[in-house]
Amino acid sequence: MSRPLRIPVRAVAAPAETGYVVDKTFPLRNGTTVRISVQQSGAGDQVVRMLTDLQGGRLLLHWGVEGGKDYKGGWRLPQSSGSRPDGTVQYKDRALQSPIRTNKDGKGELLIKLPGDEASDVLNFVLKDDATNTWYDCNGSNFKVSLRSTPSLDEADALSSRGDALPKELCDKWAWVRWDFASRPQRSPEAANEEHSIGVLEMKSLLLKGRSMDELWSVANGQWKYAEYRKAVIKPTLDGAATPQAAQRPPTPSTAALPDDLVNVQAYVLWEQDGRKDGADYSDAARSTLRAQLDSGKGLEEVCAALKFKPDWLSGPASASVSPQQQQQPPPQQQQQQQPEVLVGRKQQKAEVGVSLPSLPTRNALDMIKERPNPPPVLSADKALVPVRPMEFLVQRFAVDPATKWRRVFSLGGKSEMLAVVRQESRTSPIRMDLLTDNAADMILHWGVQPPASRDWLMADQGLWPGNTRTAGHIACETPFGSCSDPEECDVEDLGGGKVPLQRVTITLPADHTLGALCFVMHSADSTMWYKDGSNNFTVPLPSPHRADSLEPSSSASAMKDELSREIVSAEQTSAWTLMHRFNKAADLLQGVMDGRFEGVGMTDAYARIYVWLRYSSTRHLTWQRSYNTQPRILSAAQDRLTVTQAYSRSKGEAAEWARAMLTTVGRGGDGQRIRDEILNIMHRNHISEVKGIWMEEWHQKLHNNTTPDDVPICQAYLAFLESRGNNGAYWRVLTDAGLSRERLEGFDRAITKEPDYYADKRDALIREFNNYLGILKAVHSGADLQASAAAAGNRIPGAARGYLAYVMSNLGSSQVLPFLEAAVEARTELAPFLAGNRELMYLDLSLEDEIRRASERGVGSAGFGAAAFMKPLLQNLCLSLGDNEELCYCLAAWGELSPSVRNGGRVDKEEALLAVAVLNRVRRAISTVSDSIMSRIGEVSVSYGQSFQVENWAVQLFAEEVVRGGPAFAVSLAISNIEPGLRNAAALGAWQVISPVTVTGVVEIVKGLHEVQDKVYDVPTVLLAEQVTGEEEIPEGVVALITPDAPDVLSHVSVRARNMKVLFATCHDEAPPVRDQGAQGQEPDVHHHSLRVRQQRHPMRRTGVAEAQAACVSLSRRSCGSGAGALPSPQGPGIKIEVPQWCGKWVVGMDAYADGVVGGKSKNLALLRGKLPDWIRLPPSITLPFGCFEQALEEASNAHIKQGLRDLVSRLTAKPHAEGGDAHSSGGGSGGVGGGGGGGSGGAGHESAASILAECRKLAMGVTVPANVRGDLTAMMKAAGV
């Protein structure tokens, strides 16, 4: 039966009473859709209704609007409570996330009301399954719905051409079979899109002619060959009208496929020959070059030899015409489930695992272990020998002086320092400024004054001059430092008991002065040494009656625990401050750390503190420009001066790791002057006038006076504007995604207030110009950009890394995730020995690490158990990044020893799964240690810095976690989360996994999802049993334990929080949830992580709103959580049943007899090791008493009284109330002949505890008489076994 072609309704005329109505349907994956309908009342109110048949764990609408009240570009977030559906949360100030509820028809539904001023023009949205972190978007961009007018004809045509009426999967597969029929020609992206549209049109035409959808699916899935279908159906039905021309052409040398890896190598060679241009794509030129050589008569072997490229596929019979990817690629219907496209600023393909690269080098993981730092040379007993800086004594003295208004210590290089102090007794008292230094040379102060709110240097009035002052030019004067002999302020002793010689200059000002600051530099008397504050003048602010702000850099700086932190926080409170100042200050502090100036802080802690500071800057939480303009060349010079590579080279272990991390927060630097020159050249070449009132001129002035990393997304946004032919929405979308709002653009000192201008006649030229200019901006500001890093590294790249790097750069965004990961990791491995002291290679290494993170996040989510193939490259990547990597290297070696079926994500047997789970447990512990180390190193520091910098609280609280989740360990934890459930199931292990082990007591509360209660505050300690935990939620205040059947990864937000907050967090991998008995609600259990046992408490308890509640028995077994002991039984349930093994008839058995039902698991595993260990590991001999020996001994006549005594005790135990049933059931199964009775019990036993009865059992059992033949059998067996 044929099916008619369904065309989604685009707009419906609204009834008069409701006004205009929009009704649009968008296709999702697997045939599902999302429908948006909009009604608008006569009063202007809008009601948006969303319906979807998509099924998910926890669906969210991630949305924002355009237009409406106070709209200023980008996504606007409605503010009124009525416009935000229940449960809506704000996502990082960029979007709203509203939960989609299931209606009575089983569909997801959400209602959004936009009343009055909230009514908007456009709704932007995507869907997210929060349970699996899966996003559903519109082919890499947002879904977009007009809320006020019908879609334009252009939009309708575009939607129709994209095939909205047909499933996307069908369209993609149809395009694939047509491409395969045409001999898989190489096509440009534009040609491929055109062919895709032709294929969609072909299917629509067939449907309109009466062909069925099932028939099309059979062709797409390969059940009916397209060549046969085309001949039998398409040509007769359509008479060739829709037959693509590409399908009618036979394959020729110019259209046959070339091996991708050969094209990549040729493209890399062309890129190098052409000067390594940023952003250039040489793939088409490479194919043309290779085709020309092949058409001239050369074979593939000759072409590869000329490129010094030796691919494995040359030896294959089909290598001359088919690439390795094409040889191994399965038909579309056999490919693994694919992940949706993800837009990350480049063209992405749907992710799949892919085929491993051939001939990867075999590496010994233990060779990657990095050298650990030597123990600190100063032992605790020698701490008194550490010299203390003289200025420290004076700082403490002035800190407690109430007259002190401002103070700061400046480093003068080496070990000398200068202390500046400003004091004033009262607002009417004179102001005294003292400069003291312990520099050994005679010093001269070269100084002047500045008016308020000005940086101009002026000559001071002579009434302010200290003695012996003389002029030094027209705007400065010079004063020699004098010897400081004041016993109150200059009396500082050295370690030998002698006086430290100090020099001082004192300047006194009247209380009613009109100055803003004193500015100065210093030099030695012979002028051979000059001293500045980094690359700037020293500046000391002055109090005055006209100054409203406090001079003291708030108490936050003085509250810091160490001098390094005090200097960092104090520097950020300087009135004139830019990225240039920050980088120069960081360079000074970094050099001070390497010189040992901050002796109270270890090198690792010092590097971590500087990293925290610079990361706050790179994430825009600190100002990039305040009351000061910096030319690009000066900014790039400050970046170059930050000698991170020197710090990396001089450190080992974790310190080197933090030094390397600093580079992620700082741009590369280089030729910053090109930023200033090239923008002017572009405007002149394209005849764009330098006149006020246009966007280009505003940006030009910002670039000239104060370029920042914001200019990179601004350039990208303008390119999107040009490519969309003047669409302002595209411009603001790029800016919004980069975190740039209209307010930020207007807040620049050189503000950007205008919308960009579209020059239609210059469009193509400007696109070329600004693509090149984007490369210049990235070269200065973007440290981790791969193309810019590779171009900058140039000939420094070792030869062994070039082939892998060529593959990576030619496959950015490739669907084949595994080979991409392998190539990137191998490139990093080849770079590793050359990183020390090489700044450009370090940036290249960081860029590769960033690409690995992107690829793994795209590929792991959709790979399922196939993610096991990612474990080796991801572990190797983590080993390369960590400073202290020994344990992870051993984990990598252990993973490499597993069977190929495990490592490749195939079928595994029980023994293979057991070994794999053991390795995964070790990996989990190792990456948890990495996480905990980062949190302990920067957690407290990031909070104190963030609060001092007045950063928003949400950013402060998430700072350390974002560092963890942004690192390479996070990708490993994602892979573990995917593969562990299957391995545990194959190994027949328990389903419980403890993420945060803590012993706690609390009241049980059962919730559907943790997100529902994450903002709740519990008045009593609470054990939450949550069916859904995505990993992004907060742990509610008052919760002491969280138990869930969900599987968040070990480095998820909630996992990190649980470990830091000492909250028990355990997850169950079984399909059945651990919470099935709602009668557990309100219980007060003791939760012990060792057995995951929730023990009943019989006593009544008081709770808010509840008079009393009776606790019930809850048992959470570590072995199972879906049935039996693993479920939550009702209080009247039968408890745990234990099968008692029978005696095998022998008192003693050797290893040959170790079997199920005879001995335990440890003994069996010991026996299994025979013949499997290397010669240098000796297996100890073993014998044992099998199960049932104790019960059999009780049958002896000499033990009859003990047997009867144990039976009586068991009867008393089983007669006890159910409150202690957990203990009773443990023994209730009894040993043979012991627990037979027990229906009744002693009435006087009610007051006895189970523990006391069991103690009597143990005491009685110790009196058992051992049968005589046991000793003989034991002696004989020990002798035979060699014990």
Side-chain angles (χ1 to χ4, degrees):
M1 177 179 177
S2 63
R3 300 181 184 178
L5 178 65
R6 294 178 296 171
I7 306 297
V9 177
R10 299 302 175 192
V12 178
E17 60 273 14
T18 59
Y20 167 68
V21 175
V22 172
D23 193 348
K24 296 185 69 173
T25 301
F26 298 94
L28 302 175
R29 295 199 294 275
N30 302 322
T32 58
T33 60
V34 57
R35 177 182 175 186
I36 302 292
S37 59
V38 184
Q39 288 185 314
Q40 183 167 320
S41 68
D45 297 343
Q46 295 171 336
V47 178
V48 182
R49 184 169 181 254
M50 190 225 70
L51 278 175
T52 181
D53 52 0
L54 177 67
Q55 301 297 315
R58 179 177 177 245
L59 290 179
L60 299 175
L61 187 73
H62 182 94
W63 64 285
V65 296
E66 297 178 21
K69 183 180 179 181
D70 300 326
Y71 180 64
K72 295 184 178 180
W75 281 28
R76 184 179 69 83
L77 310 182
Q79 298 300 315
S80 65
S81 58
S83 61
R84 298 188 176 190
D86 291 342
T88 297
V89 297
Q90 190 159 315
Y91 180 78
K92 296 184 179 178
D93 296 327
R94 298 182 184 178
L96 299 177
Q97 291 188 342
S98 303
I100 299 172
R101 313 291 184 183
T102 303
N103 63 17
K104 62 181 180 180
D105 298 326
K107 292 187 176 182
E109 184 175 11
L110 178 66
L111 205 65
I112 301 174
K113 298 179 180 179
L114 300 174
D117 292 338
E118 295 290 3
S120 304
D121 300 330
V122 175
L123 172 70
N124 294 284
F125 71 94
V126 294
L127 275 71
K128 178 185 179 183
D129 185 347
D130 209 23
T132 60
N133 199 32
T134 303
W135 294 81
Y136 300 85
D137 57 19
C138 183
N139 297 324
S141 60
N142 305 318
F143 293 108
K144 197 166 188 174
V145 179
S146 173
L147 301 179
R148 294 191 187 276
S149 60
T150 58
S152 66
L153 293 176
D154 290 342
E155 180 185 2
D157 291 342
L159 290 171
S160 176
S161 67
R162 210 176 57 226
D164 284 353
L166 297 172
K168 184 176 184 302
E169 185 181 5
L170 175 62
C171 295
D172 292 344
K173 288 186 175 183
W174 194 268
W176 192 93
V177 297
R178 284 168 46 83
W179 174 69
D180 183 65
F181 172 75
S183 300
R184 304 182 180 184
Q186 296 289 342
R187 294 171 176 154
S188 67
E190 293 77 12
N193 290 335
E194 182 181 356
E195 288 294 329
H196 188 279
S197 300
I198 292 174
V200 173
L201 177 62
E202 183 177 71
M203 287 191 290
K204 286 183 176 181
S205 302
L206 291 169
L207 290 170
L208 289 172
K209 293 290 186 179
R211 312 308 298 190
S212 70
M213 186 73 76
D214 291 340
E215 182 178 280
L216 298 182
W217 274 110
S218 67
V219 176
N221 288 327
Q223 299 164 355
W224 191 342
K225 299 297 183 185
Y226 180 81
E228 299 172 1
Y229 184 76
R230 181 172 177 274
K231 182 177 181 181
V233 177
I234 295 178
K235 275 185 166 293
T237 302
L238 303 181
D239 195 24
T243 304
Q245 296 181 3
Q248 299 172 357
R249 295 193 300 264
T252 65
S254 61
T255 59
L258 283 167
D260 286 347
D261 49 0
L262 177 59
V263 174
N264 295 339
V265 173
Q266 181 66 65
Y268 184 79
V269 171
L270 293 176
W271 176 69
E272 280 197 321
Q273 292 174 350
D274 201 23
R276 307 181 185 90
K277 292 183 178 179
D278 293 332
D281 183 1
Y282 292 87
S283 55
D284 291 340
R287 291 188 179 93
S288 300
T289 301
L290 293 172
R291 284 293 168 209
Q293 297 182 60
L294 293 174
D295 291 345
S296 67
K298 290 184 179 179
L300 278 178
E301 293 84 353
E302 295 177 82
V303 173
C304 292
L307 294 173
K308 299 181 180 180
F309 176 54
K310 298 179 181 179
D312 288 350
W313 45 262
L314 272 180
S315 58
S319 62
S321 59
V322 184
S323 70
Q325 290 90 341
Q326 294 169 2
Q327 293 174 23
Q328 301 177 23
Q329 184 175 0
Q333 67 271 19
Q334 297 176 2
Q335 294 179 6
Q336 300 188 27
Q337 184 179 359
Q338 296 177 335
Q339 187 177 353
E341 295 181 3
V342 182
L343 190 66
V344 292
R346 66 184 66 171
K347 191 166 185 177
Q348 297 285 349
Q349 300 179 32
K350 296 180 180 179
E352 57 187 31
V353 174
V355 180
S356 179
L357 289 175
S359 303
L360 283 174
T362 301
R363 302 185 187 275
N364 184 351
L366 302 187
D367 291 340
M368 298 175 62
I369 296 176
K370 298 178 181 178
E371 184 180 356
R372 290 186 174 183
N374 297 322
V378 180
L379 304 178
S380 58
D382 299 326
K383 286 184 178 179
L385 301 178
V386 177
V388 179
R389 300 193 306 274
M391 292 295 111
E392 280 295 320
F393 295 107
L394 300 181
V395 168
Q396 298 304 320
R397 292 178 188 175
F398 291 122
V400 298
D401 186 349
T404 300
K405 302 302 180 183
W406 188 90
R407 70 185 188 282
R408 183 170 300 173
V409 176
F410 297 94
S411 172
L412 300 183
K415 298 292 183 179
S416 66
E417 297 176 321
M418 184 265 292
L419 171 64
V421 180
V422 178
R423 288 177 287 177
Q424 186 179 25
E425 296 291 343
S426 67
R427 295 190 60 90
T428 59
S429 302
I431 299 166
R432 173 175 172 173
M433 190 202 73
D434 290 283
L435 302 177
L436 299 102
T437 180
D438 59 346
N439 196 297
D442 293 333
M443 302 295 293
I444 304 293
L445 181 69
H446 182 94
W447 63 287
V449 295
Q450 291 178 342
S454 173
R455 294 190 298 272
D456 296 334
W457 186 310
L458 304 176
M459 175 78 75
D461 293 337
Q462 291 191 13
L464 304 180
W465 291 8
N468 300 321
T469 299
R470 62 181 182 273
T471 59
H474 298 292
I475 60 173
C477 51
E478 290 191 339
T479 303
F481 278 74
S483 176
C484 184
S485 57
D486 188 341
E488 295 294 329
E489 296 184 353
C490 301
D491 187 9
V492 178
E493 294 185 1
D494 60 20
L495 294 177
K499 297 293 181 64
V500 177
L502 299 179
Q503 302 179 67
R504 178 170 66 176
V505 167
T506 300
I507 299 175
T508 304
L509 297 89
D512 58 351
H513 73 88
T514 59
L515 301 177
L518 185 108
C519 48
F520 62 93
V521 295
M522 300 163 59
H523 64 86
S524 60
D526 59 4
S527 297
T528 59
M529 293 294 296
W530 285 77
Y531 300 93
K532 301 173 70 176
D533 185 10
S535 59
N536 306 301
N537 302 320
F538 296 106
T539 302
V540 176
L542 300 174
S544 73
H546 314 289
R547 189 181 190 119
D549 59 320
S550 171
L551 295 183
E552 188 62 37
S554 81
S555 59
S556 57
S558 57
M560 295 292 109
K561 297 180 179 179
D562 58 88
E563 181 60 29
L564 175 62
S565 298
R566 285 193 288 272
E567 289 206 27
I568 289 174
V569 174
S570 179
E572 284 299 324
Q573 293 158 349
T574 304
S575 58
W577 194 248
T578 66
L579 283 175
M580 177 269 293
H581 294 96
R582 183 174 295 123
F583 293 153
N584 278 326
K585 185 65 175 179
D588 292 338
L589 296 179
L590 190 59
Q591 188 62 49
V593 171
M594 291 187 285
D595 292 342
R597 185 163 68 89
F598 302 100
E599 289 146 352
V601 184
M603 181 171 287
T604 302
D605 284 326
Y607 288 172
R609 280 161 167 73
I610 297 175
Y611 166 77
V612 169
W613 175 34
L614 294 178
R615 181 177 168 85
Y616 269 126
S617 171
S618 67
T619 53
R620 294 197 186 95
H621 292 300
L622 301 181
T623 181
W624 286 353
Q625 189 258 341
R626 180 172 62 237
S627 303
Y628 198 95
N629 290 327
T630 303
Q631 295 181 9
R633 61 180 179 82
I634 300 176
L635 173 63
S636 60
Q639 292 171 316
D640 292 338
R641 183 171 173 264
L642 192 52
T643 55
V644 174
T645 49
Q646 183 181 356
Y648 178 81
S649 303
R650 292 174 56 175
S651 55
K652 299 175 183 176
E654 193 181 350
E657 183 181 340
W658 288 111
R660 176 178 176 271
M662 287 183 214
L663 281 182
T664 64
T665 66
V666 182
R668 177 175 293 100
D671 189 2
Q673 185 62 29
R674 290 187 65 195
I675 294 178
R676 188 181 176 97
D677 296 341
E678 187 62 20
I679 185 64
L680 197 59
N681 293 336
I682 291 174
M683 296 177 70
H684 289 171
R685 283 195 296 265
N686 293 276
H687 307 291
I688 299 174
S689 301
E690 299 176 55
V691 295
K692 291 184 178 181
I694 65 172
W695 178 90
M696 185 79 73
E697 176 60 17
E698 289 183 336
W699 187 35
H700 161 229
Q701 289 300 321
K702 178 192 179 301
L703 291 165
H704 263 238
N705 291 281
N706 203 56
T707 183
T708 66
D710 282 335
D711 292 315
V712 174
I714 290 175
C715 185
Q716 292 171 329
Y718 186 59
L719 280 168
F721 171 81
L722 292 173
E723 290 167 351
S724 63
R725 299 184 183 276
N727 184 354
N728 280 347
Y731 169 78
W732 282 109
R733 182 165 53 251
V734 174
L735 290 179
T736 301
D737 290 344
L740 289 177
S741 63
R742 187 183 294 272
E743 289 81 1
R744 183 170 179 86
L745 296 183
E746 294 175 350
F748 295 145
D749 270 15
R750 302 287 179 163
I752 299 177
T753 62
K754 304 297 182 182
E755 299 285 333
D757 303 292
Y758 181 60
Y759 305 96
D761 58 326
K762 303 178 177 67
R763 173 181 176 270
D764 294 341
L766 288 176
I767 289 176
R768 288 193 300 272
E769 296 267 29
F770 280 102
N771 268 317
N772 179 63
Y773 192 63
L774 178 62
I776 296 173
L777 290 170
K778 285 184 174 181
V780 174
H781 294 301
S782 301
D785 182 77
L786 181 59
Q787 290 184 329
S789 299
N795 293 329
R796 301 180 184 90
I797 302 174
R802 295 195 174 203
Y804 296 118
L805 182 60
Y807 183 90
V808 171
M809 296 184 66
S810 301
N811 288 275
L812 294 175
S814 169
S815 63
Q816 302 283 307
V817 175
L818 178 59
F820 183 89
L821 289 177
E822 291 174 333
V825 171
E826 288 301 325
R828 287 198 65 200
T829 305
E830 297 294 346
L831 290 175
F834 304 93
L835 294 181
N838 196 318
R839 192 167 186 261
E840 301 305 337
L841 288 186
M842 287 186 69
Y843 272 117
L844 179 58
D845 183 61
L846 288 167
S847 303
L848 287 168
E849 182 185 73
D850 189 57
E851 294 298 337
I852 292 167
R853 178 188 60 79
R854 293 172 186 265
S856 61
E857 290 178 357
R858 281 196 306 119
V860 170
S862 62
F865 188 67
F870 299 150
M871 282 294 290
K872 179 182 180 294
L874 292 180
L875 279 173
Q876 186 174 339
N877 179 60
L878 180 56
C879 291
L880 291 167
S881 298
L882 291 180
D884 185 1
N885 68 348
E886 182 174 359
E887 176 60 17
L888 264 302
C889 288
Y890 278 103
C891 290
L892 175 59
W895 181 263
E897 294 296 324
L898 297 176
S899 66
S901 57
V902 173
R903 290 184 280 112
N904 298 328
R907 288 184 172 272
V908 296
D909 59 32
K910 183 176 180 179
E911 292 300 321
E912 292 172 336
L914 282 169
L915 289 172
V917 169
V919 174
L920 283 186
N921 286 338
R922 184 174 185 179
V923 175
R924 178 185 287 102
R925 288 192 298 271
I927 61 176
S928 295
T929 300
V930 171
S931 168
D932 295 343
S933 175
I934 293 174
M935 295 297 294
S936 63
R937 185 73 66 184
I938 67 173
E940 183 180 346
V941 172
S942 63
V943 171
S944 62
Y945 281 18
Q947 292 173 346
S948 299
F949 299 151
Q950 298 181 347
V951 177
E952 293 177 280
N953 186 61
W954 68 265
V956 173
Q957 298 302 321
L958 291 177
F959 184 93
E961 293 176 30
E962 291 296 331
V963 173
V964 172
R965 291 167 63 80
F970 183 61
V972 179
S973 71
L974 286 178
I976 292 176
S977 298
N978 271 31
I979 64 182
E980 185 176 37
L983 287 175
R984 296 183 71 87
N985 183 57
L989 292 175
W992 286 99
Q993 183 64 48
V994 181
I995 297 174
S996 174
V998 186
T999 299
V1000 296
T1001 300
V1003 176
V1004 170
E1005 177 162 328
I1006 301 170
V1007 296
K1008 179 73 173 177
L1010 181 58
H1011 65 279
E1012 297 176 353
V1013 295
Q1014 63 179 345
D1015 297 323
K1016 185 176 179 180
V1017 176
Y1018 289 91
D1019 297 329
V1020 296
T1022 302
V1023 176
L1024 274 186
L1025 306 181
E1027 292 187 20
Q1028 294 178 354
V1029 177
T1030 66
E1032 300 297 329
E1033 304 92 340
E1034 297 288 343
I1035 298 177
E1037 184 177 342
V1039 169
V1040 295
L1042 176 61
I1043 301 174
T1044 178
D1046 245 336
D1049 60 85
V1050 72
L1051 292 186
S1052 67
H1053 174 81
V1054 72
S1055 300
V1056 175
R1057 276 298 174 95
R1059 289 194 294 271
N1060 291 335
M1061 297 167 62
K1062 305 303 180 186
V1063 171
L1064 169 67
F1065 186 21
T1067 183
C1068 170
H1069 299 293
D1070 207 340
E1071 292 182 0
V1075 181
R1076 298 194 306 171
D1077 185 1
Q1078 298 300 317
Q1081 188 85 21
Q1083 296 175 22
E1084 187 177 1
D1086 285 345
V1087 185
H1088 302 272
H1089 73 270
H1090 298 295
S1091 62
L1092 284 180
R1093 179 167 59 86
V1094 183
R1095 191 179 67 209
Q1096 148 190 316
Q1097 298 290 320
R1098 192 64 176 172
H1099 59 81
M1101 56 188 173
R1102 299 278 181 180
R1103 296 181 61 192
T1104 303
V1106 180
E1108 290 185 349
Q1110 188 73 22
C1113 176
V1114 182
S1115 176
L1116 300 178
S1117 167
R1118 191 171 190 167
R1119 300 192 194 94
S1120 168
C1121 68
S1123 59
L1128 293 181
S1130 65
Q1132 294 77 28
I1136 300 174
K1137 294 183 179 179
I1138 300 176
E1139 293 185 6
V1140 180
Q1142 300 299 314
W1143 187 48
C1144 65
K1146 296 181 180 180
W1147 292 109
V1148 186
V1149 295
M1151 295 179 89
D1152 291 336
Y1154 288 1
D1156 290 333
V1158 178
V1159 295
K1162 293 180 181 178
S1163 298
K1164 288 189 297 179
N1165 289 336
L1166 188 64
L1168 288 173
L1169 289 175
R1170 292 183 298 177
K1172 298 181 179 180
L1173 297 177
D1175 295 339
W1176 54 275
I1177 298 179
R1178 297 184 59 187
L1179 185 68
S1182 173
I1183 61 171
T1184 189
L1185 276 66
F1187 289 140
C1189 285
F1190 179 77
E1191 289 84 350
Q1192 188 63 29
L1194 290 179
E1195 299 300 325
E1196 298 286 324
S1198 58
N1199 292 322
H1201 66 289
I1202 294 179
K1203 178 180 178 181
Q1204 184 59 45
L1206 288 173
R1207 176 177 290 150
D1208 294 341
L1209 288 170
V1210 171
S1211 297
R1212 288 159 56 187
L1213 187 65
T1214 56
K1216 289 190 66 58
H1218 191 76
E1220 293 174 354
D1223 295 326
H1225 291 155
S1226 300
S1227 304
S1231 299
V1234 174
S1242 171
H1247 66 280
E1248 294 180 296
S1249 68
S1252 63
I1253 296 176
L1254 290 174
E1256 290 187 51
C1257 290
R1258 289 193 294 271
K1259 183 177 180 181
L1260 191 58
M1262 293 302 293
V1264 169
T1265 301
V1266 179
N1269 50 345
V1270 172
R1271 298 181 183 276
D1273 291 352
L1274 188 60
T1275 301
M1277 188 62 70
M1278 289 175 68
K1279 185 175 181 180
V1283 177

